[in-house]
Structure formats: structure tokens, C-alpha cells
């Protein structure tokens, strides 16, 4: 199975959004990573449904939506209708996580759960078999451009073990501070999807940056 690169649109130029979406379409990237923040679960507001609708209109690759919002159950069908292919909710934002995961899967989307840096892998033990993806946050969610937290490697190894032990098909995504400096080590630890925002969009040549990152991990 090849390892995937998911550029985070949060770091795109919103005044040239169509251009940046088409850049990703034409690149070696695999997924679009879309960060939705509500200013309550995280101390920042990113963008909402109309912007996702505009992205969906042009995106030709898998749309991976990362919800950093409280009570995400309210919007599961809305995100499915807007074209999301993968919907990830935060463990810390869901009181009835099992129910939320089933509700996501009922729509036909793949179901993901994200863990904040302080949340141990063990909390997923009883839902891992139901999950398509776990997003291990390697920064505190809320902002792009933060530094990678080194403790992530340990968590990825623990998660990989849990997945193997449960015979789950779950994929491991890393989100936050991903660069060419940590990408290979993350894959070695067991990750197979790397989200990269600033590293891609703030580089001089995003197409080349994506190609280099993709080649580095495959
Ligand atoms: C952080 C978001 C990330 C962010 C990553 O809350 O979930 O997806 O866009 O950005 P970089 O790669 O710049 O850390
Ligand atoms: Zn994200």
C-alpha cells in the first residue's frame, strides 16, 4: 500500500483558492485535507460549509474533512452532501463516540477519529475495529505552522500495535508540523497518511515540494 500525502488547504491562499485546488489536483498529492474549526473546540475559526462547497466543485481527489468542532453529530449528513469522503471527528468532542462513528459510516463516508497530543492511544481500544482512520495530532489543533511534537512517534507505534492486534484496517494519519525532516520517521513508526499545510503551501514550488515528500515516503 502506498503512503499518502494530504495537503492541508488551511495553508492555501484563500484569495486564489481555485488556483491552489487545481495545483493539488495536478500534483502527486493523494487527498485534500480540510480543517473545519468552530472557535469553541479550538481557539480559532477557519471556514465552513460554503467554502467546502467551493473546494468540492474543483477538487478531483479524496476530500478528507477534519472537524475541530463540538457536537459534530449535528453536521454529519451536511458534510456527506458537501462531498466529504472521509470525516474525522475528535475523540475529545464526542460523548457517544461509537454512535458518531456509526452515523458517519451510514452516510457512506469513511470514519476517522482524531486524538489531541495529550490523549492516549488506549482510549480507542473499543472502537478501533470500527474505524477507517485515526488522525494522530502532532500539534495542538487550531492553527497551521506549529512545531511538530516529538512524542508523536511513540503514539504512532502504539497505535500500529493496537491496529495489528485488533486486525483492523484502520489507517494512520499524522497532522501538524509535518516536513521532510520527520516524514520518513513517521512512516517507519507506522503512519501512512501525512497531512502537510505550511510545508507545502508556503514553499516556493508546492508541486515540487509535494513530489519530493511523496517520493521520500514511498
Ligand atoms: C491543525 C490542523 C492541521 C494544520 C496543519 O489544527 O488540523 O491540519 O492545517 O498545518 P501545518 O502542516 O502547517 O502544521
Ligand atoms: Zn487537520
Amino acid at each position: 500500500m502506498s503512503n499518502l500525502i494530504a495537503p492541508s488547504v488551511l495553508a492555501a491562499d484563500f484569495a486564489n483558492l481555485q488556483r491552489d485546488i487545481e495545483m493539488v489536483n495536478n500534483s502527486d498529492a493523494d487527498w485534500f485535507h480540510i480543517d473545519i474549526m468552530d472557535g469553541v473546540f479550538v481557539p480559532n475559526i477557519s471556514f465552513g460549509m460554503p467554502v467546502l462547497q467551493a473546494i468540492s466543485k474543483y477538487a478531483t481527489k479524496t476530500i478528507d474533512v477534519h472537524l475541530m468542532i463540538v457536537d459534530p453529530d449535528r453536521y454529519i449528513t451536511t458534510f456527506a452532501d458537501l462531498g466529504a469522503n472521509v470525516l474525522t471527528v475528535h475523540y475529545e468532542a464526542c460523548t457517544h463516540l461509537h454512535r458518531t462513528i456509526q452515523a458517519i459510516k451510514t452516510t457512506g463516508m469513511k470514519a476517522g477519529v482524531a486524538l489531541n497530543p495529550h490523549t492516549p492511544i488506549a482510549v480507542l481500544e473499543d472502537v478501533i475495529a470500527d474505524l477507517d482512520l485515526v488522525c494522530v495530532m502532532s500539534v495542538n489543533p487550531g492553527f497551521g505552522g506549529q512545531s511538530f511534537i516529538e512524542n508523536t512517534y511513540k503514539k504512532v507505534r502504539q497505535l500500529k500495535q493496537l491496529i495489528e492486534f485488533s486486525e483492523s484496517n484502520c489507517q494512520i494519519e499524522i497532522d501538524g508540523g509535518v516536513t521532510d525532516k520527520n516524514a520518513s520517521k513517521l512512516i517507519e513508526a507506522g503512519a501512512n497518511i501525512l497531512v502537510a499545510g505550511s510545508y507545502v503551501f508556503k514553499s516556493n514550488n508546492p508541486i515540487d515540494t509535494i513530489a519530493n515528500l511523496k517520493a521520500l515516503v514511498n
Side-chain angles (χ1 to χ4, degrees):
M1 184 171 59
S2 81
N3 296 310
L4 311 183
I5 304 298
S8 172
V9 174
L10 186 64
D13 177 356
F14 294 152
N16 289 288
L17 194 51
Q18 184 182 351
R19 179 200 67 189
D20 283 1
I21 298 303
E22 282 169 358
M23 180 281 290
V24 175
N25 286 341
N26 294 324
S27 76
D28 287 345
D30 301 278
W31 288 7
F32 284 89
H33 183 82
I34 310 292
D35 290 307
I36 308 284
M37 305 179 184
D38 66 355
V40 179
F41 180 68
V42 287
N44 193 16
I45 299 174
S46 56
F47 49 77
M49 286 72 171
V51 174
L52 176 56
Q53 194 169 22
I55 294 169
S56 285
K57 189 169 159 197
Y58 296 104
T60 57
K61 298 179 174 179
T62 294
I63 297 182
D64 169 37
V65 175
H66 176 194
L67 294 183
M68 284 160 275
I69 67 173
V70 296
D71 199 4
D73 302 65
R74 292 171 294 165
Y75 301 115
I76 291 172
T77 51
T78 306
F79 282 106
D81 293 343
L82 287 170
N85 304 108
V86 183
L87 192 67
T88 296
V89 296
H90 264 265
Y91 168 81
E92 302 83 4
C94 296
T95 310
H96 301 286
L97 184 62
H98 182 272
R99 178 185 290 152
T100 304
I101 293 164
Q102 307 313 322
I104 295 171
K105 291 170 85 166
T106 302
T107 67
M109 293 184 290
K110 296 215 177 299
V113 171
L115 296 183
N116 278 340
H118 75 276
T119 304
I121 295 297
V123 299
L124 295 179
E125 215 175 281
D126 292 298
V127 287
I128 197 76
D130 296 317
L131 288 177
D132 298 300
L133 176 148
V134 174
C135 175
V136 180
M137 293 305 302
S138 39
V139 297
N140 284 293
F143 303 92
Q146 302 181 81
S147 304
F148 179 83
I149 297 172
E150 297 285 322
N151 189 54
T152 307
Y153 299 117
K154 182 198 80 181
K155 291 180 77 173
V156 175
R157 286 192 293 268
Q158 290 174 341
L159 176 57
K160 181 81 182 166
Q161 273 192 348
L162 177 62
I163 290 170
E164 284 175 356
F165 181 76
S166 327
E167 297 178 4
S168 161
N169 291 320
C170 186
Q171 297 189 282
I172 303 179
E173 178 178 67
I174 309 300
D175 189 8
V178 170
T179 69
D180 59 344
K181 304 284 180 292
N182 48 34
S184 308
K185 208 171 154 188
L186 286 165
I187 300 296
E188 275 166 38
N192 68 297
I193 305 163
L194 303 181
V195 174
S198 319
Y199 180 68
V200 165
F201 285 100
K202 310 293 182 216
S203 70
N204 290 332
N205 188 333
I207 289 260
D208 283 357
T209 303
I210 292 168
N212 293 338
L213 203 53
K214 177 88 178 171
L216 193 62
V217 300
N218 280 287

